[in-house]
Every structure is written in C-alpha cells, then in structure tokens.
Amino acid sequence: MAEGSDPQQDVTYRAPVGSGDLKAFDEDGNSYEIRARHDCLPWYAEVVVVAGEVLVREWHAVGCPQFQELIRD
C-alpha cells in the first residue's frame, strides 16, 4: 500500500482479513457460482459445515468494499 493511503481501502496481500459465511445452495438446492475477486488480493473461499449446514466462507481484505457489504447484510 502506498504511503499516505487509507488503510481502510487496503486490498493487498498484506491487508488484514475477515470472513463471512454464505449459503452454498438456494432454496431449490442449486449451488451458487463463485468467481475469484481479482480486486481483493487476499480473497479466497472455502466450504465449511456449520451446525449441519454446508456454507461457503469467503475471506476478504477488511477494506474490500464487497466484504464491507457482506458484513452489513
């Protein structure tokens, strides 16, 4: 990140990360499509089972706008 840049907008590999869990399937049992986030370098996703439910856990830089939207919902 460049000096003087806003740390809340840091989406580099050095950025702090956070995660959010999303449903892996819609109400009809269809899986959701997951695409890489090229504008959030530390982004990745993993499949987890929580309380018997299959979820997709997305990891983002905490300054990533999509992550901020995810934790607001």
Side-chain angles (χ1 to χ4, degrees), residues 3-72:
E3 203 168 309
S5 297
D6 182 357
Q8 293 299 317
Q9 298 299 315
D10 185 5
V11 292
T12 66
Y13 287 117
R14 296 181 308 273
V17 296
S19 66
D21 291 343
L22 304 166
K23 291 187 179 251
F25 304 97
D26 65 18
E27 290 90 28
D28 296 325
N30 300 310
S31 60
Y32 290 106
E33 184 174 309
I34 301 170
R35 295 191 176 257
R37 300 280 311 166
H38 298 290
D39 55 348
C40 179
L41 296 179
W43 179 90
Y44 70 94
E46 61 184 336
V47 176
V48 296
V49 178
V50 176
E53 185 175 13
V54 177
L55 301 172
V56 173
R57 181 167 292 156
E58 285 193 8
W59 293 84
H60 294 261
V62 295
C64 173
Q66 184 180 0
F67 178 68
Q68 294 300 315
E69 184 178 316
L70 177 66
I71 61 175
R72 260 194 307 267

